[in-house]
Amino acid sequence: MFVKRIAVATVAAAGIAAAVVATNADAGISVTPVAASVPAFDHIVLVMFENKKYSSINGSSSASYFNQLAAKSAKFTKSFAVTHPSQPNYVALFSGSTQGVDDDACPMNLGAKANLATQLAGIGKTFTGYSEAMPSDGYTGCSSGTYKRKHNSWVDFSNVPSSSNRRFSSFPSDFTKLPDVAFVTPDMCNDMHDCSIGTGDAWLKKHLDAYATWAKTHNSLLIVTFDEDSNTSVNQIFTTFTGAHVKTGSYSESINHYTVLRTIEAAHGLPGIGNAAQKSPILDVWQ
């Protein structure tokens, strides 16, 4: 007997894909079902690290926690950033477009363009961005110590309230108090930009291991990814999904920041914005 996955995805008007699966027992074919939609998670937390190519993290002894987490997650072996340098990738993941940003200049004021926070607000859902080392909630400055605004895309949009721009020190230990979607940005050392892979690895374990464990039994999801690789033309990055409904394993479909955004949108029944509208949400990792 051999195993074959058969899935035909269709996209509804709202942009949520449905999968059609079939099984032919007489022919000896068994089918691994593909989810019809992304689960409606209570909480999604996405944490973004910096400037490391996939091969620098995958299987590396310096990234032991990343790999321990991947072993109980959906790991994407063909995940790619959108561009170089850092800032346009953050903007792309948050708004479905680089918005013409092609450098790390600051301040970048992008006006009232559509973004994930406004999408969520439109359906009564909440978004909060948490930035480590930011000196105060609602801060709009370009730099303070190990905090850099270029890694904080939500502050660039005038239609995102300042109350959604918070210090990581206010990330709740009671995870039931998290917003519907949270983006987390470590500081310039802990995100691996200025410090070692081991530093970022230790930070991830210290600050988000408890949430990763909790998410599995509380209808929630942790997304771990990188803004870009180490400035190569390939731009392949390490990305994992951990939490409830996740089928552990390695997945080889090609995804990028727009695919991840589209999947977060689909979890809330939202259509894709910008370039995310051209992507199908990730469906094969759910059980």
Side-chain angles (χ1 to χ4, degrees):
M1 179 180 292
F2 63 96
V3 178
K4 182 178 181 182
R5 177 176 295 175
I6 304 173
V8 180
T10 61
V11 180
I16 301 174
V20 179
V21 297
T23 301
N24 188 337
D26 293 336
I29 299 173
S30 64
V31 176
T32 302
V34 175
S37 63
V38 179
F41 291 105
D42 293 335
H43 306 282
I44 298 175
V45 174
L46 181 147
V47 57
M48 186 98 94
F49 290 86
E50 277 276 316
N51 297 21
K52 295 294 179 287
K53 60 185 178 180
Y54 176 83
S55 60
S56 293
I57 303 299
N58 188 53
S60 170
S61 59
S62 297
S64 58
Y65 180 70
F66 273 84
N67 287 283
Q68 289 168 20
L69 189 65
K72 52 185 179 182
S73 306
K75 180 177 74 173
F76 296 92
T77 61
K78 293 183 180 178
S79 175
F80 301 91
V82 170
T83 188
H84 297 295
S86 293
Q87 186 164 232
N89 287 294
Y90 285 84
V91 173
L93 182 48
F94 185 64
S95 70
S97 169
T98 62
Q99 308 296 347
V101 177
D102 59 7
D103 58 27
D104 287 335
C106 183
M108 193 61 63
N109 297 306
L110 301 176
K113 294 174 181 173
N115 57 70
L116 180 59
T118 59
Q119 281 188 295
L120 290 166
I123 58 170
K125 300 289 186 179
T126 53
F127 169 87
T128 301
Y130 296 93
S131 296
E132 189 178 32
M134 191 169 69
S136 60
D137 292 342
Y139 181 73
T140 60
C142 287
S143 179
S144 177
T146 54
Y147 166 81
K148 302 293 182 185
R149 174 170 159 166
K150 65 180 180 177
H151 297 162
N152 177 348
S153 54
W154 43 95
V155 76
D156 296 334
F157 294 83
S158 61
N159 52 4
V160 179
S162 60
S163 59
S164 295
N165 180 29
R166 303 191 65 184
R167 294 167 292 168
F168 182 65
S169 58
S170 65
F171 190 88
S173 56
D174 178 355
F175 302 133
T176 64
K177 296 181 179 179
L178 280 164
D180 295 288
V181 178
F183 279 17
V184 173
T185 301
D187 70 18
M188 290 287 286
C189 177
N190 291 319
D191 67 5
M192 306 184 196
H193 186 284
D194 294 344
C195 297
S196 68
I197 290 174
T199 298
D201 189 71
W203 187 94
L204 180 62
K205 182 176 182 178
K206 177 180 178 180
H207 293 286
L208 286 167
D209 180 64
Y211 173 75
T213 300
W214 180 88
K216 286 180 175 290
T217 55
H218 290 83
N219 192 39
S220 296
L221 181 69
L222 172 65
I223 300 173
V224 177
T225 191
F226 284 74
D227 68 328
E228 59 177 326
D229 75 358
S230 50
N231 203 34
T232 77
S233 59
V234 177
N235 219 353
Q236 184 178 7
I237 55 175
F238 191 88
T239 301
T240 54
F241 285 9
T242 311
H245 314 295
V246 173
K247 290 190 292 188
T248 299
S250 293
Y251 295 83
S252 60
E253 65 262 45
S254 180
I255 68 168
N256 65 14
H257 291 321
Y258 297 132
T259 318
V260 172
L261 172 59
R262 183 69 197 93
T263 304
I264 295 171
E265 291 169 322
H268 293 92
L270 292 164
I273 52 172
N275 293 305
Q278 308 305 315
K279 296 291 184 180
S280 296
I282 298 166
L283 297 175
D284 57 341
V285 304
W286 315 117
Q287 57 187 2

